[in-house]
Amino acid sequence: MMETWTLPEGWEWVKLGEPELCEIIMGQSPAGSTYNTQRNGLPFFQGKADFGEFYPVPRKWCTSPLRVSRPGDILISVRAPVGPVNLTAEECIIGRGLAILRPKSKLENRYLFFVLRSMEEKISSMGTGSTFTAIGKSNLQSLAIPIPYPNDPARSLAEQRRIVARLEAMLSEVRALRDLLQSMRRDWSALIESALAEVFEALEDATPEPIGAIADVKGGKRLPKGDTFSEEMTPFPYIRVTDFSNYSVDTSNLRFLKPETFQRIRQYTISKDDVYISIAGTIGLVGTIPPELDGANLTENVAKLVFKEKFRNHIDKKYVAYYLSSAEGKKQIEERAKAAGQPKLALERIKTIEIPIPYPDDPARSLAEQRRIVAYLEAVQEEVSAARRQVEEDERRVTQLEQSILAAAFRGEV
């Protein structure tokens, strides 16, 4: 597949499969029993999930190498997702989600790395498959890349090195911008934590009440064995842990039940008056349900707090959710999750978590104080959300800038 832009004079499109350009080695996963997390053997990389900005980040090691990458090789993700690239800094083992591109004498490794980074979107579009997208060795062999002065190897390598040096200087500034934006994200998260600490540490005349005294704790339900989600929107939304966001529910990727599935698990729903708390996987995500999802079904990895009748007019549900996300609330959740001996928060242990109730002998004053705290925290949350949206937009622009710099380089413009 050839590109369409016009190359500088003396440059040519050359396929990766051409002799003396690049060796292509497809990954092969060793037996699962040979993996470990004890740094025994060589680092093992399976796919894009292991990639850092430069060089993969070891999470597993393996003592049974089948495909070994050398320092300086380029790794390309060839399965779900297709296209991302990285460099290897040390000898490592690669699984079938990756391929090794090993430049030969006419190609600088970092030049090829930057070329492929500029073509990630194009390479991704080559992927095929219904369950997941993938590309094979023939796809990589047919991939054409721009090579300066291919008939003059010395001049070609000198130009490749010049382009790499220029790109590394320019992209280091881009990385500095990205690091700054990441730092801003951390600062905003710290602001929320500070606001939570401020309000809950300053509570006066507050009495700790176990959740079990003010609410019933109930679990959700997984899909019955053999059932699948509906391919179309139905009146039966199903809320998963991945849908939780900003103390509420993100509806952008919501799943829906088929009517017959809903009938089987219809009792496992959550109300707009309840508080949710994730109890497995990512433990401790808390929030409330927006009115439009009142009565939605709830996954098994989540518990709901259903406030008892006598407390419904005296407890603000958002106050409870905010407290559970504070440092002290998280501490109580963590202690109970660890006490279970497994990464899961048992319903019975949730009942023992204590919530500080201000002015317990004066319900009206107590509710007013809870609402004051909620209003303050929601104002902080809105400020942070607005800042995050701006940071996300800035990150998109930085990515576009990076792609523009890479594209310019291989059009002879740097």
Side-chain angles (χ1 to χ4, degrees):
M1 187 183 298
M2 303 295 283
E3 290 293 339
T4 57
W5 73 76
T6 301
L7 294 176
E9 185 176 353
W11 290 40
E12 293 182 13
W13 292 105
V14 182
K15 293 182 179 180
L16 279 179
E18 290 293 318
E20 298 185 23
L21 194 65
C22 183
E23 182 180 3
I24 300 172
I25 305 169
M26 304 304 291
Q28 184 176 349
S29 299
S33 60
T34 65
Y35 304 164
N36 68 87
T37 59
Q38 309 304 314
R39 298 181 178 270
N40 182 19
L42 292 176
F44 172 74
F45 303 117
Q46 177 65 19
K48 197 271 180 184
D50 299 309
F51 285 6
E53 177 69 20
F54 287 103
Y55 313 120
V57 180
R59 296 182 178 87
K60 292 182 180 179
W61 284 259
C62 182
T63 57
S64 179
L66 294 177
R67 294 290 184 271
V68 178
S69 179
R70 304 171 188 163
D73 284 346
I74 293 158
L75 301 182
I76 181 167
S77 180
V78 295
R79 292 162 59 98
V82 171
V85 294
N86 215 299
L87 290 162
T88 52
E90 59 182 329
E91 192 174 58
C92 62
I93 301 169
I94 65 164
R96 61 179 178 166
L98 298 172
I100 296 168
L101 301 180
R102 185 172 292 158
K104 296 184 180 179
S105 59
K106 292 185 177 181
L107 191 57
E108 283 286 324
N109 69 321
R110 292 183 79 87
Y111 177 84
L112 177 59
F113 169 72
F114 284 127
V115 167
L116 294 173
R117 251 205 180 171
S118 75
M119 300 173 70
E120 281 186 9
E121 185 174 340
K122 165 190 162 49
I123 297 170
S124 176
S125 69
M126 297 164 60
T128 58
S130 55
T131 305
F132 56 82
T133 58
I135 58 174
K137 187 172 184 176
S138 61
N139 298 111
L140 294 172
Q141 290 173 326
S142 65
L143 182 67
I145 65 169
I147 300 292
Y149 319 114
N151 298 320
D152 187 343
R155 185 182 181 190
S156 178
L157 289 171
E159 180 65 6
Q160 291 177 44
R161 290 166 186 150
R162 185 195 68 80
I163 290 171
V164 167
R166 181 67 175 143
L167 281 174
E168 288 182 335
M170 297 174 72
L171 293 177
S172 67
E173 298 180 12
V174 173
R175 287 194 294 274
L177 285 173
R178 187 172 282 120
D179 289 344
L180 175 61
L181 292 173
Q182 288 296 321
S183 175
M184 292 173 66
R185 279 181 177 271
R186 291 191 293 271
D187 289 345
W188 287 115
S189 295
L191 177 60
I192 294 178
E193 293 174 3
S194 176
L196 288 166
E198 174 191 342
V199 295
F200 290 114
E201 289 176 5
L203 278 177
E204 297 179 356
D205 193 17
T207 298
E209 286 284 357
I211 285 177
I214 62 175
D216 295 316
V217 182
K218 301 180 180 181
K221 185 72 171 178
R222 71 166 70 186
L223 263 64
K225 186 176 181 179
D227 283 24
T228 59
F229 291 115
S230 171
E231 295 182 0
E232 300 177 352
M233 184 181 294
T234 72
F236 313 114
Y238 183 87
I239 301 175
R240 302 160 297 159
V241 174
T242 54
D243 299 318
F244 294 158
S245 177
N246 294 329
Y247 301 98
S248 186
V249 178
D250 179 359
T251 61
S252 62
N253 195 31
L254 203 62
R255 298 297 180 89
F256 293 87
L257 300 178
K258 299 173 183 177
E260 57 271 25
T261 302
F262 171 73
Q263 290 302 321
R264 293 189 185 98
I265 57 174
R266 60 186 304 166
Q267 67 269 40
Y268 296 97
T269 60
I270 188 168
S271 161
K272 61 180 176 58
D273 299 319
D274 302 336
V275 170
Y276 66 72
I277 176 170
S278 60
I279 60 174
T282 303
I283 296 174
L285 296 177
V286 294
T288 58
I289 301 299
E292 62 270 23
L293 292 179
D294 186 31
N297 278 82
L298 193 65
T299 180
E300 65 168 337
N301 292 332
V302 181
K304 62 178 180 179
L305 312 185
V306 183
F307 294 100
K308 297 180 178 181
E309 184 70 33
K310 62 185 275 190
F311 292 101
R312 287 179 186 171
N313 295 324
H314 307 307
I315 302 291
D316 189 294
K317 60 185 179 181
K318 291 185 177 180
Y319 172 85
V320 173
Y322 275 124
Y323 175 75
L324 290 172
S325 66
S326 70
E328 182 57 34
K330 288 179 178 178
K331 180 181 177 183
Q332 292 195 62
I333 290 171
E334 183 178 352
E335 289 172 347
R336 285 154 180 80
K338 286 182 177 179
Q342 56 183 343
K344 188 167 184 177
L345 183 61
L347 302 186
E348 288 300 315
R349 294 185 182 277
I350 294 175
K351 294 179 182 180
T352 67
I353 295 174
E354 295 182 333
I355 307 294
I357 305 298
Y359 311 114
D361 297 326
D362 188 341
R365 186 181 182 188
S366 177
L367 185 60
E369 178 65 3
Q370 293 175 52
R371 288 174 173 170
R372 182 193 67 79
I373 290 171
V374 168
Y376 169 71
L377 292 174
E378 285 187 329
V380 173
Q381 180 70 19
E382 179 53 39
E383 181 181 354
V384 169
S385 295
R388 281 178 173 163
R389 288 191 292 270
Q390 183 60 56
V391 167
E392 288 170 359
E393 176 60 28
D394 290 342
E395 287 175 335
R396 282 191 290 270
R397 291 176 179 172
V398 168
T399 298
Q400 291 170 354
L401 174 61
E402 181 180 46
Q403 288 301 309
S404 296
I405 291 172
L406 290 169
F410 305 113
R411 288 172 170 80
E413 299 171 7
V414 301

